[in-house]
Amino acid sequence: MAANARHRRVANQVPDRDRGSVDDRLPPSRDGAGSDSEQRPSIVGSRRWLRSCIVPLTVSLLAALYLLFVLTYSVDVPRGDDGLTVLLIYPALHGHLNFGDLWSQHLESRILVPNLIFLAIGYLDHFDLRTVMILSALILIGAFLLLLRLLRVYLGRPLTALPVLLVGLVWFSLIDVTNALWGFQIAWYVVLFCLIVIPYLLLVSQWPRTLNLAIAIIAAMVATFSALQGVVAWPEGLFLF
């Protein structure tokens, strides 16, 4: 009896190792697996952020390089038909300009819109041809952005860096260096911008349809009175409409 009682007291004092505590019954934690599960969302988020930024960075780089090229190599020296703009701006600055001078025909084209641009720059900075070239570059960059938007809608998925880079290299090709560094050729860039903005308005823009149609008609008129090739805007717009 005494031996049994002593045995029960010892058993009560010694912890039951077979059952174990609550912490002992939990499975051992694997720090490596926990850290991987915590790091995986951050890695995925970083990749998504990089993927979302690489296309805007590519576009910005292409536009910046082209603009830097124009800023570096443009000079305020008239060449070719630039002399005709001087004959327009000089009488305007002295109050002798009439509408016939703006409407006058240049070869097969009516360049009313470019003449208005030349006149505005003549009043602003005494017709610095570098300003005209920079404006042409900005118009080309704006047309490029609209083209990428149209390309995204056509493909039905977000653009990646490679097609943006390839299209940009063709779009800003230095083969067109003559027009890029020739102020009078701003008419070409105006026509190109209008030919891009018309499909953007009629196919992509979320503005009211009547407003899009009205602006598209204005764009076609601007293209028509910038160069003879601008008349292409009318069949283009009619087909899209």
Side-chain angles (χ1 to χ4, degrees):
M1 294 291 294
N4 291 335
R6 186 168 56 254
H7 180 72
R8 285 194 297 270
R9 287 196 301 269
V10 173
N12 292 331
Q13 293 175 359
V14 178
D16 189 355
R17 297 185 181 276
D18 293 335
R19 292 181 300 170
S21 62
V22 175
D23 295 336
D24 294 337
R25 293 198 302 269
L26 293 175
S29 62
R30 293 178 296 178
D31 295 337
S35 60
D36 291 342
S37 62
E38 294 175 356
Q39 292 177 1
R40 191 175 296 111
S42 62
I43 295 175
V44 173
S46 300
R47 290 178 179 176
R48 289 179 178 175
W49 179 84
L50 181 62
R51 192 180 297 111
S52 63
C53 290
I54 191 169
V55 171
L57 288 176
T58 304
V59 175
S60 301
L61 180 62
L62 289 169
L65 289 176
Y66 183 78
L67 195 58
L68 179 63
F69 164 77
V70 174
L71 288 171
T72 303
Y73 293 101
S74 60
V75 292
D76 186 20
V77 177
R79 53 176 296 188
D81 295 331
D82 288 336
L84 299 176
T85 61
V86 177
L87 299 178
L88 173 70
I89 295 171
Y90 183 81
L93 294 178
H94 292 81
H96 301 294
L97 180 68
N98 55 60
F99 184 77
D101 296 330
L102 295 172
W103 183 252
S104 61
Q105 185 172 337
H106 176 71
L107 299 179
E108 300 87 2
S109 305
R110 296 285 182 181
I111 56 172
L112 174 63
V113 174
N115 282 338
L116 291 174
I117 296 175
F118 298 146
L119 193 61
I121 295 177
Y123 277 109
L124 292 175
D125 63 356
H126 301 285
F127 196 61
D128 189 340
L129 285 169
R130 291 172 296 183
T131 304
V132 185
M133 299 174 197
I134 293 172
L135 181 59
S136 298
L138 294 176
I139 293 174
L140 185 65
I141 292 172
F144 178 64
L145 297 177
L146 294 179
L147 178 66
L148 293 180
R149 176 60 176 161
L150 288 171
L151 181 59
R152 186 188 187 282
V153 173
Y154 175 77
L155 296 177
R157 56 181 175 80
L159 296 176
T160 57
L162 183 58
V164 170
L165 179 62
L166 294 177
V167 173
L169 291 177
V170 175
W171 189 262
F172 297 110
S173 173
L174 296 183
I175 294 176
D176 195 36
V177 61
T178 302
N179 291 328
L181 301 178
W182 188 357
F184 191 81
Q185 297 300 87
I186 191 174
W188 291 94
Y189 295 100
V190 172
V191 171
L192 179 62
F193 180 83
C194 292
L195 294 179
I196 296 295
V197 78
I198 289 174
Y200 174 81
L201 290 170
L202 298 181
L203 299 177
V204 177
S205 176
Q206 300 299 319
W207 294 344
R209 185 178 182 182
T210 304
L211 180 60
N212 288 329
L213 181 59
I215 299 177
I217 293 174
I218 295 174
M221 295 175 62
V222 169
T224 301
F225 295 118
S226 295
L228 177 63
Q229 292 77 3
V231 299
V232 178
W234 295 102
E236 176 198 29
L238 181 62
F239 173 77
L240 294 174
F241 181 74

